[in-house]
Amino acid sequence: DGAVERVGAADARLWLRGGRAPVDRAAPAPDAAAAVRAAFATLDGAGLPSPDAVGHRLVHGGPDHAAPERVTKELLADLRALVPLAPLHLPKGLDGVEVVAERFPDLPQAVCFDTAFHHDLPEPARRLPLPRALTDETRIRRFGFHGLSYEYVLEHLGPAARGRVVIAHLGNGASMAAV
């Protein structure tokens, strides 16, 4: 269990529990790529084995990517085209995928999309107040976020909660969903 926290800040930290000894130290992590590199270097130093696969949470899958997918060059090209939909988050997530591929070129990677939970919103809920010609041509629509968080909560509440719960995702962004 571990993390690189406060990526991009001067006081970024890396911590790891497991391996030879716990680690908790300052980590130069000016961006997501540096954070992933620092994490792998720490795993190496802790005597832990290389991963068998890596999974990534990506904020946006656009209208065409809702289910978890194995990373391919074609998928990465599709996702790079979606950067204008999530310019603060998607590039950093994709950088992480690419750093893993540099380090472990044959390692399987998969991505899960935060927008997937809301992918099947009913038409009235996903439609924006724009002319239909514009939304039909551009495929602009409303996407919900924090879906992986909502899935986690629903899984732990069980099926009886469906249709009767409002979930608030607070921290690292904020949203609410009536499910």
Side-chain angles (χ1 to χ4, degrees):
D1 188 23
V4 181
E5 298 174 335
R6 301 194 44 80
V7 174
D11 62 344
R13 296 206 64 74
L14 183 148
W15 59 269
L16 173 70
R17 287 185 217 104
R20 294 183 189 126
V23 174
D24 188 348
R25 63 175 171 79
D31 55 35
V36 173
R37 288 185 184 102
F40 279 131
T42 302
L43 291 173
D44 289 344
L48 295 169
S50 296
D52 292 323
V54 173
H56 303 267
R57 173 207 161 262
L58 294 181
V59 69
H60 218 303
D64 299 323
H65 302 284
E69 293 185 50
R70 186 153 178 181
V71 173
T72 64
K73 289 181 183 193
E74 296 78 18
L75 175 61
L76 287 176
D78 283 356
L79 297 176
R80 285 268 177 222
L82 297 176
V83 164
L85 297 177
L88 296 178
H89 302 293
L90 200 48
K92 295 171 188 173
L94 294 172
D95 287 348
V97 173
E98 290 177 354
V99 169
V100 171
E102 287 171 12
R103 175 76 185 261
F104 301 104
D106 298 322
L107 188 73
Q109 296 188 72
V111 291
C112 297
F113 304 103
D114 236 0
T115 51
F117 181 81
H118 308 282
H119 194 266
D120 294 328
L121 285 171
E123 175 65 22
R126 71 174 175 232
R127 183 161 284 292
L128 294 168
L130 298 169
R132 188 174 294 274
L134 178 62
T135 58
D136 289 348
E137 179 182 320
T138 62
R139 299 177 68 201
I140 292 175
R141 59 166 280 193
R142 179 174 285 122
F143 289 95
F145 295 97
H146 304 125
L148 295 173
S149 175
Y150 295 140
E151 280 187 40
Y152 174 83
V153 170
L154 286 175
E155 180 179 317
H156 281 76
L157 291 176
R162 273 217 181 253
R164 306 180 320 121
V165 65
V166 174
I167 303 169
H169 174 98
L170 304 171
N172 295 321
S175 64
M176 293 179 77
V179 181

